[in-house]
Amino acid sequence: GMDAIMLQEKLVERLLCARGRTMRQKVDKQYVGFATLPNQVHRKSVKKGFDFTLMVAGESGLGKSTLVNSLFLTDLYKDRKLLNAEERISQTVEITKHTVDIEEKGVKLKLTIVDTPGFGDAVNNNECWKPITDYIDQQFEQYFRDESGLNRKNILDNRVHCCLYFIPPFGHGLRPVDVEFMKALHERVNIIALIAKADCLTPNETKKLKDRVRDEIERFGIKVYQFPECDSDEDEEFKQMDKELKECTPFAVIGSNTVVEARGQRVRGRLYPWGIVEVENQSHCDFVKLRNMLIRSHMHDLKDVTCDVHYENYRAHCIQQMTSKLAQDNRMDSSIPILPLPTPDAETERLIKMKDEELKRMQEMLEKMQQQMHEKDQ
Amino acid sequence: MFSFLRALKCIEILNQTTLSLVPQNEEKRSLSLGGHVGFDSLPDQLVSKSVTQGFCFNILCVGETGIGKSTLMNTLFNTTFENEEASHYQNGVYLRPRTYDLQESNVHLKLTIVDTVGFGDQINKDESYKPIVDYIDTQFENYLQEELKIKRSLFNYHDTRIHICLYFIAPTGHSLKSLDLVTMKKLDSKVNIIPIIAKADTISKSELHKFKIKIMSELVSNGVQIYQFPTDDEAVAEINSSMNAHLPFAVVGSVEEVKVGNKMVRARQYPWGVVQVENESHCDFVKLREMLIRINMEDLREQTHARHYELYRRCKLEEMGFKDTDPDSQPFSLQETYEAKRKEFLTDLQRKEEEMRQMFVNKVKETEAELKEKERELHEKFEQLKRMHQEEKRKVEEKRRDLEEEMNGFNRKKLAAETLSLSQPLKKDKDKKK
């Protein structure tokens, strides 16, 4: 319990104090001073502030809003209206955004939570993930346009950095809708799969379900967010913690909006006749692991992967589509000569081939005749 | 069908005779007895007979895969029915009935548990309710067929009609799912439904209260009829009406035993506590067992037969065109109706046959025409190619002739040149000689 928490604090410290290590090297050279760069980066970033866009997706009633509130210790859903069963029979998926500015120790964070009410709630859920993929693509497109524009001073980054996908704990593993959703999104956004409402699973059942889900994720080829490998020069403690974190996925979480009294302390929890579930108790659920990973250690990596991988994929794909369309419109000149020529379509190729063959035949005939002529000559 | 006719004829005759036996204005008189006659043993005789016969009870469990249907059945009947874990990837919903012979003291129970495999797993659940409704109707149909037979053995018949449908609601804490509402609406006129909240150990007490109210109000506002525990029998009226107020039952199932105090009880062990299945402050399992098995099992069977089955039977027979009274309010002869229906059916059949034949002929004509067209096109193409080929050939011939001419011309020139060159050296010689 306490040891684990201390270890995790150490992890956070390490990530922030890279400069500490550099300082420890005893060199005889004259001190130049660029070792202060990390400090400068730190200072500037505090001044600039951070932003983060988190999407939550999953069927209604799996505790998404409660978990978000628990993660950021605030109440984002005060005036929410829930639909009843009849209204949900043919409900369409909506996308809603909540943006809040929160601050902690001088560090400002502009947090945007993107909700997907209606996902998986209708009787016929065919392609219910389409509005979500469209939304993510739209944000990419917006950023692409802004990035290619002339005035790039105030680009707003609305790209989705992470998607928490909630898997119900009532089944035996992933359901078809879970698989289809994750496959539609895994190349557009970082997906972190969570087992929701984990207080209905005993420790054995939790382990069994986690193993099953991990196995199915691999079997169906779903690419969920991978924690970056830790450096080989990290110490064993850190490596062990990192390993434990990775083996713990998918995280089994519980959220709570209420404070209860347990073991003499006031904690966030759920009160039952048979006991109290503490949200921040690591032997009760993986909430703390999720929070540390999502907020305290990997938030920036999630942003980086979004920018460097998902966005770049989108951008490259976009450009390719644009140039092939351009080449089709005006066959002779392509206005962007640097890029590789688009491959001609099948029809044109066939015609070219035909003409080539005709030409060849004529040439052969001519050669034959020349030969004949030559022979007659002799 | 011939035997059916004869059965109906018999019913007709019977109806007529009964009418003539009962005098029209008979008053019922009650008499007081002078001593103990002994017919108060009738219920005992009935009981004794039914115990010898054995009882039959059929439960249908409807709910998502993994929601705890099998575990609850094991917990209710305190035994382990064999079942494998179902997969989430079934293409559709199918029903899996399993029959078991149970015995408690001297009472034999033939229990059939029907499971809905794959329910709630498909992405498109528009058709999910159909296999369930079809199954229930099929059991009714089988019974109806047996009832209409001439030589029937109803006392021996294994009654597979569903007596109770336990509908498992997922513990979301908000409300019913859209699929739940749609399915229950399709089932409520065919079977007794008791809705239960499954895996209720994930809902806290306050949430549970709100959840139950929300569910019941949704059911009421959508006109879904669920089974009401009967309150007309004084002996059980009180407990039944208080139980009606606790619906839907929030249940937890477990076959594992945990030591609590100095006893082993069926429970689920969590790091934060132990949920005891039979503890009424933990869940409503005891209430469900009480209501379903210990008090109202017989009423459920009765309701199935007297209400749901009769409704099915009436609808089915009406569908076939049978009525109890004709437009003049005289008792309709089933026989006449049957004859009329039969004629109608045969003419209908003939018409359909004719239609199909016509369609077939048309189709053949169409295809023939298409093929002819294609043939013509091909022929045309062939001709065209032939012409092209000939044209090419001609061109090549022309070229060849030109070439030959050229060659000839060239040869002539060459010849001319040679002869010239031949004569040239002579001239030179001549010159030299000179």
Side-chain angles (χ1 to χ4, degrees):
Chain A
M2 279 310 287
D3 281 12
I5 297 174
M6 274 175 66
L7 284 173
Q8 293 204 331
E9 295 285 68
K10 262 197 178 175
L11 160 68
V12 168
E13 221 180 74
R14 248 170 238 282
L15 289 168
L16 286 179
C17 299
R19 58 187 189 275
R21 262 187 288 148
T22 330
M23 291 293 223
R24 270 188 260 119
Q25 286 171 354
K26 300 238 189 303
V27 283
D28 290 324
K29 286 196 289 192
Q30 206 170 31
Y31 181 60
V32 178
F34 56 75
T36 60
L37 272 170
N39 299 37
Q40 297 177 33
V41 168
H42 190 258
R43 184 172 35 91
K44 277 206 158 237
S45 66
V46 168
K47 180 167 182 290
K48 202 163 79 157
F50 296 86
D51 66 272
F52 191 72
T53 304
L54 177 69
M55 176 182 270
V56 284
E59 277 181 12
S60 161
L62 290 178
K64 301 185 292 292
S65 325
T66 312
L67 187 74
V68 168
N69 282 344
S70 307
L71 275 173
F72 296 100
L73 294 174
T74 176
D75 190 358
L76 284 149
Y77 299 95
K78 271 205 245 296
D79 307 308
R80 191 165 68 135
K81 183 186 173 296
L82 292 168
L83 295 182
N84 61 29
E86 198 187 353
E87 292 164 331
R88 281 191 264 145
I89 291 179
S90 40
Q91 185 184 23
T92 48
V93 180
E94 273 174 53
I95 307 285
T96 61
K97 272 171 41 166
H98 285 102
T99 306
V100 287
D101 285 312
I102 43 185
E103 186 180 320
E104 201 177 52
K105 291 205 187 128
V107 178
K108 297 194 197 47
L109 175 66
K110 181 160 96 75
L111 175 70
T112 306
I113 306 284
V114 180
D115 275 296
T116 56
F119 174 80
D121 285 342
V123 177
N124 183 352
N125 291 310
N126 264 337
E127 304 243 306
C128 61
W129 48 86
K130 198 156 183 314
I132 302 174
T133 52
D134 285 346
Y135 175 82
I136 295 177
D137 285 342
Q138 272 165 30
Q139 307 317 305
F140 280 157
E141 191 188 319
Q142 178 73 49
Y143 194 84
F144 182 39
R145 240 180 279 162
D146 289 346
E147 197 187 46
S148 324
L150 292 172
N151 186 354
R152 305 203 296 185
K153 209 160 184 207
N154 293 319
I155 304 182
L156 264 180
D157 185 5
N158 285 324
R159 297 173 295 181
V160 181
H161 300 123
C162 177
C163 174
L164 296 179
Y165 185 69
F166 288 69
I167 299 168
F170 314 125
H172 298 310
L174 294 178
R175 300 159 306 158
V177 70
D178 301 326
V179 175
E180 291 303 309
F181 175 85
M182 290 200 272
K183 289 198 81 154
L185 259 74
H186 65 170
E187 284 176 343
R188 292 177 155 96
V189 72
N190 297 316
I191 297 183
I192 296 179
L194 301 174
I195 296 177
K197 294 204 166 177
D199 57 352
C200 88
L201 299 168
T202 63
N204 274 343
E205 290 167 349
T206 309
K207 182 170 184 310
K208 208 168 128 197
L209 185 60
K210 281 188 183 184
D211 287 343
R212 193 55 108 50
V213 170
R214 263 205 305 270
D215 186 56
E216 287 177 342
I217 283 178
E218 201 182 302
R219 188 151 51 97
F220 287 106
I222 300 170
K223 299 181 219 158
V224 290
Y225 171 70
Q226 298 294 324
F227 300 108
E229 293 300 324
C230 52
D231 301 323
S232 51
D233 61 348
E234 296 284 356
D235 61 30
E236 279 311 309
E237 214 177 277
F238 186 81
K239 280 193 190 161
Q240 180 62 28
M241 245 172 44
D242 188 60
K243 183 161 166 276
E244 275 176 21
L245 205 69
K246 288 183 185 158
E247 284 175 359
C248 205
T249 57
F251 295 134
V253 293
I254 300 169
S256 170
N257 279 332
T258 50
V259 178
V260 295
E261 182 136 344
R263 297 177 288 135
Q265 289 180 317
R266 290 178 66 73
V267 290
R268 275 189 169 237
R270 290 173 63 73
L271 182 62
Y272 290 115
W274 48 86
I276 300 175
V277 182
E278 298 161 48
V279 168
E280 296 189 25
N281 185 332
Q282 296 220 49
S283 57
H284 288 189
C285 71
D286 300 327
F287 174 82
V288 172
K289 289 197 176 74
L290 172 68
R291 182 190 57 198
N292 287 351
M293 185 236 102
L294 180 66
I295 303 175
R296 297 184 186 180
S297 49
H298 290 77
M299 196 180 242
H300 217 273
D301 185 66
L302 285 163
K303 290 183 69 169
D304 286 342
V305 174
T306 307
C307 296
D308 299 339
V309 178
H310 299 295
Y311 173 67
E312 290 301 318
N313 278 342
Y314 173 84
R315 185 173 168 279
H317 178 73
C318 220
I319 293 179
Q320 243 182 1
Q321 276 201 324
M322 284 199 320
T323 52
S324 74
K325 189 177 182 298
L326 225 58
Q328 270 182 13
D329 288 347
N330 30 359
R331 295 210 117 237
M332 285 297 109
D333 319 302
S334 167
S335 55
I336 313 172
I338 339 166
L339 290 153
L341 284 168
T343 51
D345 55 52
E347 184 64 35
T348 329
E349 275 207 55
R350 198 175 59 81
L351 286 167
I352 293 175
K353 225 177 176 178
M354 253 173 63
K355 293 284 174 208
D356 264 336
E357 282 173 9
E358 234 181 287
L359 221 70
K360 233 195 211 162
R361 265 185 284 129
M362 295 247 129
Q363 265 185 345
E364 281 174 7
M365 263 181 9
L366 211 66
E367 266 182 38
K368 250 207 241 161
M369 287 186 181
Q370 275 186 348
Q371 229 182 21
Q372 274 184 354
M373 237 166 64
H374 199 76
E375 282 168 11
K376 276 223 169 138
D377 247 358
Q378 303 297 343
Chain B
M1 264 297 141
F2 182 58
S3 48
F4 178 61
L5 249 176
R6 288 184 62 186
L8 293 172
K9 201 77 189 171
C10 294
I11 297 173
E12 225 186 290
I13 299 170
L14 201 65
N15 277 338
Q16 289 167 351
T17 32
T18 328
L19 278 165
S20 60
L21 278 175
V22 176
Q24 294 297 78
N25 294 320
E26 171 143 311
E27 279 165 21
K28 285 195 277 190
R29 309 177 293 161
S30 37
L31 302 167
S32 52
L33 300 168
H36 181 233
V37 179
F39 59 77
D40 60 350
S41 69
L42 275 170
D44 297 325
Q45 295 176 32
L46 181 61
V47 166
S48 158
K49 171 165 176 250
S50 49
V51 167
T52 333
Q53 252 185 337
F55 296 86
C56 161
F57 195 62
N58 307 319
I59 305 179
L60 169 66
C61 292
V62 180
E64 293 173 5
T65 307
I67 199 88
K69 303 182 285 291
S70 315
T71 309
L72 186 69
M73 289 297 109
N74 289 346
T75 319
L76 263 177
F77 292 98
N78 222 342
T79 176
T80 313
F81 302 114
E82 14 85 43
N83 44 39
E84 328 88 38
E85 224 174 54
S87 117
H88 283 285
Y89 304 101
Q90 306 280 352
N91 275 335
V93 179
Y94 76 93
L95 275 82
R96 186 176 60 182
R98 295 232 177 98
T99 308
Y100 307 95
D101 279 308
L102 305 174
Q103 186 181 357
E104 202 173 52
S105 352
N106 60 341
V107 178
H108 289 266
L109 178 67
K110 207 183 194 74
L111 177 73
T112 302
I113 300 179
V114 186
D115 207 358
T116 52
V117 181
F119 187 75
D121 281 330
Q122 298 76 36
I123 293 181
N124 182 352
K125 297 176 273 223
D126 278 336
E127 311 280 298
S128 292
Y129 70 88
K130 282 211 182 107
I132 307 176
V133 168
D134 288 345
Y135 181 86
I136 297 175
D137 280 345
T138 309
Q139 310 320 305
F140 283 154
E141 182 64 31
N142 291 346
Y143 192 87
L144 181 64
Q145 292 293 336
E146 182 66 31
E147 215 183 34
L148 291 173
K149 276 193 193 155
I150 294 181
K151 193 165 180 177
R152 53 187 202 183
S153 47
L154 279 174
F155 66 92
N156 222 346
Y157 178 75
H158 177 207
D159 188 4
T160 55
R161 297 172 296 179
I162 300 292
H163 300 121
I164 178 67
C165 168
L166 290 175
Y167 195 95
F168 288 68
I169 298 170
T172 58
H174 289 327
S175 66
L176 286 175
K177 291 195 180 169
S178 51
L179 176 65
D180 297 338
L181 194 60
V182 164
T183 311
M184 281 203 264
K185 280 210 81 155
K186 294 282 180 189
L187 293 177
D188 68 350
S189 59
K190 292 189 178 283
V191 72
N192 301 315
I193 301 180
I194 296 183
I196 58 182
I197 299 172
K199 300 204 170 177
D201 53 357
T202 185
I203 315 184
S204 68
K205 248 200 169 87
S206 52
E207 291 167 351
L208 186 61
H209 186 63
K210 271 192 267 177
F211 191 35
K212 283 190 180 186
I213 292 177
K214 186 78 176 74
I215 292 176
M216 292 312 281
S217 82
E218 280 192 325
L219 289 174
V220 164
S221 63
N222 284 288
V224 176
Q225 306 256 8
I226 57 171
Y227 177 72
Q228 293 294 315
F229 304 120
T231 49
D232 48 3
D233 180 355
E234 296 161 359
V236 289
E238 199 181 309
I239 186 168
N240 273 348
S241 63
S242 85
M243 288 299 177
N244 275 327
H246 278 104
L247 285 171
F249 293 134
V251 292
V252 172
S254 172
V255 286
E256 278 150 21
E257 296 196 328
V258 174
K259 196 174 181 104
V260 172
N262 52 359
K263 285 200 299 172
M264 292 297 281
V265 290
R266 287 182 297 172
R268 285 174 63 74
Q269 175 131 56
Y270 290 108
W272 49 85
V274 176
V275 182
Q276 296 157 41
V277 168
E278 285 173 287
N279 184 331
E280 292 209 56
S281 58
H282 287 191
C283 73
D284 300 330
F285 172 79
V286 172
K287 295 190 176 73
L288 175 68
R289 183 180 57 193
E290 200 70 18
M291 288 291 99
L292 180 64
I293 302 180
R294 297 185 184 177
I295 297 187
N296 297 304
M297 205 183 223
E298 187 55 34
D299 183 70
L300 285 164
R301 282 152 39 95
E302 222 179 270
Q303 290 282 334
T304 306
H305 181 71
R307 192 149 65 94
H308 299 292
Y309 170 68
E310 286 301 313
L311 182 64
Y312 174 83
R313 180 179 169 278
R314 198 176 72 215
C315 290
K316 202 71 202 297
L317 293 181
E318 268 175 0
E319 223 178 276
M320 295 209 283
F322 298 107
K323 292 194 214 358
D324 278 340
T325 55
D326 73 7
D328 301 325
S329 292
Q330 293 292 86
F332 228 11
S333 163
L334 284 161
Q335 187 179 359
E336 286 175 22
T337 323
Y338 170 67
E339 280 297 326
K341 269 276 150 172
R342 189 159 172 274
K343 261 197 212 127
E344 205 185 301
F345 178 69
L346 284 172
T347 45
D348 210 24
L349 200 69
Q350 264 190 332
R351 188 175 52 82
K352 281 214 174 102
E353 238 185 275
E354 202 42 54
E355 251 178 55
M356 284 202 124
R357 194 175 305 133
Q358 197 54 34
M359 219 165 67
F360 179 69
V361 167
N362 286 348
K363 251 301 145 120
V364 169
K365 277 206 193 121
E366 239 178 70
T367 322
E368 237 178 38
E370 253 178 58
L371 283 168
K372 279 218 173 83
E373 176 70 27
K374 284 255 154 76
E375 210 186 309
R376 194 182 58 78
E377 268 179 33
L378 237 84
H379 204 71
E380 227 180 79
K381 232 183 195 165
F382 178 66
E383 290 294 315
Q384 198 189 32
L385 280 168
K386 209 160 117 184
R387 267 180 274 132
M388 261 173 69
H389 180 73
Q390 285 191 351
E391 180 70 26
E392 292 272 338
K393 204 167 160 189
R394 190 182 60 78
K395 281 197 186 142
V396 172
E397 278 294 321
E398 220 178 88
K399 278 208 175 106
R400 197 167 74 87
R401 266 182 273 124
D402 283 342
L403 199 65
E404 269 192 34
E405 246 184 65
E406 226 181 282
M407 273 169 38
N408 288 341
F410 177 70
N411 278 339
R412 271 184 267 123
K413 277 199 188 142
K414 194 170 141 190
L415 214 58
E418 277 181 359
T419 45
L420 204 63
S421 66
L422 275 171
S423 58
Q424 277 277 14
L426 278 170
K427 227 184 178 180
K428 271 196 188 150
D429 282 346
K430 268 195 188 154
D431 283 342
K432 270 192 187 166
K433 278 188 186 162
K434 270 197 184 152

